[in-house]
Amino acid sequence: MKPEYVGDGGVATVSYYAPDAPTRFTDSLHRTGFAVIRDHPVPRDLVETIHAEWLAFFEKEAKHAYAFDRETQDGYFSTAVSETAKGNDKRDLKEFFHIFPGGRYPAEVSDAARRYFAIAGDFAGELLSWVEANTPEDVRARFSMPLASMIRESPATLLRVLRYPPLTGKEEPGAVRAAAHEDINLLTVLPASNERGLQLLTRSGAWTDVPTDFGSLVVNVGDMLQEASGGYYSSTTHRVVNPSGEAARRSRIALPLFLQPRPEVKLSERHTAGSYMDERLRQLGVK
């Protein structure tokens, strides 16, 4: 069976149960920085519950009681303190809540997001094992330890519950929901959102939509895997564009799980995971 590709991006959509899923998944990450998994074990109804609960939470004033902490980086980030993508001068049009193992968690929602964190985290460890098993031996030799071991019991792995608010027409010119950027971590695991808008930059320099059928998982390479692999895996530039028409009046919810190694894990001769993260957070203006 040949991989299913989308447009110029060449992103493979792989069934979790296909016998060759690990090789096709890893090949797509190597070629494009992205892959999509369907028929996976992460419960769709759990994702739907989180979307509903947290959409209601972001509409409440109670969210401000959890204002983010610059040192721990957990809690609520309003649109006023949202990220500014590296090389950009306008803040993204989004608000979000950072959930870390042992970090703050709002009393106004159920434990659904915590349960998702645990389930998706276990599945992500399997995906990292797929990557390692299908990486060329000379590249694999660069890893200071097995990739799945890098995130085991990591206090830095992060679930971001993210809301892109409806557009009002009063946004600053040039501001977008998420400006072009690369992720910091090893891999990002993202349930396809309730709204379209995620795009990646292809090697030919064109923007193309990432397949986002609700119920599938979008996985992409982060800077830390690029660093650890000596560039064999590329951290692909991506963005979330502003919608038009009726979609502009709806919120967009996203649940990216950022797989981040323990701070002391060695990525390369020049960086540990902790030193790399500190450098990037300062560039983003949130530390």
Side-chain angles (χ1 to χ4, degrees), residues 76-191:
Y76 170 69
F77 292 69
S78 71
T79 53
V81 297
S82 183
E83 293 174 322
T84 302
K86 182 180 177 182
N88 203 284
D89 62 355
K90 295 179 177 62
R91 291 192 182 276
D92 289 346
L93 303 174
K94 63 190 182 187
E95 59 181 338
F96 49 91
F97 198 105
H98 276 181
I99 301 171
F100 289 101
R104 287 179 295 166
Y105 190 88
E108 290 78 9
V109 295
S110 76
D111 69 344
R114 279 181 167 153
R115 287 187 282 122
Y116 169 78
F117 194 132
I119 294 169
D122 287 344
F123 181 57
E126 182 178 6
L127 297 182
L128 285 171
S129 295
W130 285 9
V131 171
E132 178 150 9
N134 291 280
T135 296
E137 186 176 351
D138 61 326
V139 178
R140 192 165 61 243
R142 304 175 66 100
F143 301 153
S144 63
M145 65 180 68
L147 293 176
S149 296
M150 291 184 181
I151 65 166
R152 190 167 295 130
E153 298 182 356
S154 173
T157 288
L158 163 66
L159 174 61
R160 173 181 287 178
V161 184
L162 176 62
R163 178 202 182 214
Y164 301 100
L167 301 179
T168 65
K170 299 179 181 179
E171 291 78 20
E172 184 179 2
V176 294
R177 284 183 159 179
H181 67 284
E182 300 82 40
D183 290 347
I184 304 171
N185 40 287
L186 289 175
L187 289 180
T188 301
V189 177
L190 172 70

Side-chain angles (χ1 to χ4, degrees), residues 172-232:
E172 184 179 2
V176 294
R177 284 183 159 179
H181 67 284
E182 300 82 40
D183 290 347
I184 304 171
N185 40 287
L186 289 175
L187 289 180
T188 301
V189 177
L190 172 70
S193 179
N194 61 328
E195 298 286 346
R196 299 186 67 84
L198 178 62
Q199 297 182 332
L200 68 85
L201 186 63
T202 68
R203 291 181 179 179
S204 65
W207 288 101
T208 187
D209 291 337
V210 176
T212 53
D213 292 335
F214 192 71
S216 62
L217 288 176
V218 180
V219 182
N220 66 274
V221 173
D223 290 346
M224 290 186 182
L225 183 55
Q226 177 175 278
E227 181 77 16
S229 67
Y232 180 81

